[in-house]
């Protein structure tokens, strides 16, 4: 297709692939053989678009942030994914995957979650479709993210604690994989970002690509051209960024900017700035860039925002970084919180702290006065109220 999209072998440049145990092969292979056939049918597109419109609330607005634009002397638009049902972009993907699972004849859904946001988005669509839902979550994460655990339970999902290892996301992922190996026929595994073995990164990017498709139409309407000069998005695993970049990947006139979490600082030992600190390795079934020790052990990541607290990035972003197609910035907790409070006070929008990392790019880089800059506002800050309160500087 192009050098920035996945190739027929499941790779983005040297990254991607499917590095999975033999036992998982039939499940992933079933998905690989069928996903494009199914999601490209008219019937699938109709169902997907209908739910995005009537259930999620799409298209989300493209909002011209006039006060912020004035402050940074450029033209800033916000793509309002924070207005999606459940408060973030994640539901675009879970809707797509559950429709796919139904067409594959699956009756049960499993997922893993760290902070609980993907677990909630998955439990939501399972309730919508009347499908059984099991979410694996590290025991420590369950204690840290109690409100999301309760949300999932209200929505009818079963939340199973992962009690091995560090009792966090990595261990929950292992449990979910094990479950899938043991229940290959009736179960679909919904992965929440552009990570995991091929075809997940490509499948998730396609579901999220509705974000940049809408941007094109909306920019055409307000600016008379369907491309921005820059698109900025935060990167945890990279699904909101992949969706915001997708339709601009081949247009090198559009500059792509990714914001990673530097946590307490690049040299603090408490960060999640994968491209700055990581090197090539295999994580969650794909070859990518990840933070690791000299002998290849995955380093425990840290960020003030739970959604960016991930030791790797999706293979598409490893490739965009490697090829120099996207600019990467590492944003500290401090910079992100400051940018989040600034948006609240200047535009009346309290952003998710993940999204605030994208906004903090304005403090790190200049833009020309007449340039069009679109920031993908991946989520709303309601879930982060405790963190804002603890931060206190507002
Ligand atoms: C989960 C999450 C992210 C990070 O996930 P990506 O796959 O990198 O998009 C970013 N923003 C919000 C609001 C989230 O909930």
């Amino acid at each position: 297709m192009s050098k920035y999209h996945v190739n027929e072998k499941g790779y983005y440049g040297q990254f991607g692939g499917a590095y999975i145990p033999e036992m998982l092969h039939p499940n992933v292979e079933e998905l690989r053989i069928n996903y494009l056939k199914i999601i490209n049918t008219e019937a699938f597109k109709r169902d997907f678009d209908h739910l995005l419109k009537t259930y999620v609330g799409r298209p989300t607005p493209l909002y011209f942030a006039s006060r912020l634009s004035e402050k940074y002397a450029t033209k800033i638009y916000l793509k309002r994914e924070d207005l999606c049902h459940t408060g973030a972009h994640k539901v675009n993907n879970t809707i797509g995957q559950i429709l796919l699972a139904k067409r594959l004849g699956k009756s049960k859904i499993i997922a893993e979650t760290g902070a609980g946001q993907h677990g909630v988005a998955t439990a939501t669509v399972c309730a919508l479709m009347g499908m059984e839902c099991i979410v694996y979550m590290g025991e420590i994460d369950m204690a840290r993210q109690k409100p999301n655990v309760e949300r999932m339970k209200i929505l009818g999902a079963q939340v199973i604690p992962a009690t091995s290892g560090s009792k966090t996301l990595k261990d929950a992922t292992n449990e979910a994989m094990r479950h899938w190996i043991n229940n290959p026929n009736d179960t679909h595994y919904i992965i929440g970002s552009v990570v995991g073995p091929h075809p997940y990164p490509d499948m998730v990017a396609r579901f999220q690509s509705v974000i940049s498709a809408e941007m094109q139409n909306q920019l055409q309407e307000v600016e008379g051209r369907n491309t921005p000069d820059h698109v900025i998005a935060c990167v945890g695993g990279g699904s909101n960024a992949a969706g915001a970049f997708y339709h601009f990947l081949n247009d090198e006139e559009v500059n792509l900017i990714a914001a990673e979490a530097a946590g307490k600082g690049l040299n603090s030992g408490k960060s999640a700035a994968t491209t700055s600190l990581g090197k090539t390795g295999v994580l969650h079934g794909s070859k990518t860039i990840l933070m690791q020790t000299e002998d290849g052990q995955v380093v425990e990541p840290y960020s003030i925002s739970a959604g960016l607290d991930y030791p790797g990035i999706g293979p598409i972003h490893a490739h965009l970084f490697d090829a120099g197609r996207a600019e990467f910035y590492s944003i500290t907790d401090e910079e992100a919180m400051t940018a989040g409070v600034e948006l609240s006070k200047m535009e009346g929008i309290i952003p998710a702290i993940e999204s605030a990392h994208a906004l903090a790019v304005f403090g790190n880089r200049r833009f020309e006065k007449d340039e069009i800059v679109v920031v993908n506002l991946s989520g709303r800050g309601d879930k982060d109220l405790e963190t804002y309160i603890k931060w206190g500087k507002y």
Side-chain angles (χ1 to χ4, degrees), residues 87-90 117-118 192-195 204 208 234-242 306-308 317 352-355 376-380 383-384:
H89 66 289
K90 285 201 172 68
Q117 293 304 112
H118 172 57
S193 190
V194 286
V195 300
V204 176
Q208 293 292 358
C234 65
V235 174
S239 68
N240 86 87
L308 303 186
H317 297 296
I353 297 171
E354 291 85 357
S355 321
N376 197 41
L377 205 71
S378 56
R380 68 179 85 131
K383 69 180 176 62
D384 296 319

Side-chain angles (χ1 to χ4, degrees), residues 203-272:
M203 179 170 68
V204 176
R206 284 169 188 262
F207 291 144
Q208 293 292 358
S209 73
V210 65
I211 298 172
S212 49
E214 287 176 6
M215 278 181 198
Q216 289 181 309
N217 293 335
Q218 290 166 324
L219 284 171
Q220 185 67 48
E221 211 163 281
V222 292
E223 292 284 350
R225 52 183 264 207
N226 68 0
T227 55
D229 295 296
H230 307 270
V231 185
I232 310 179
C234 65
V235 174
S239 68
N240 86 87
F245 295 170
Y246 196 87
H247 290 287
F248 307 119
L249 287 169
N250 291 332
D251 184 349
E252 310 239 1
E253 301 271 285
V254 180
N255 187 39
L256 309 176
I257 302 177
E260 291 185 317
K264 294 187 188 300
L266 279 183
N267 301 315
S268 66
K270 297 203 80 177
S271 125

Side-chain angles (χ1 to χ4, degrees), residues 63-82:
Y63 165 69
F64 179 66
S66 58
R67 296 189 66 206
L68 207 63
S69 295
E70 193 168 332
K71 166 152 188 187
Y72 290 106
T74 189
K75 290 170 88 168
I76 303 174
Y77 286 91
L78 305 177
K79 183 59 175 156
R80 299 289 310 275
E81 294 303 293
D82 61 313

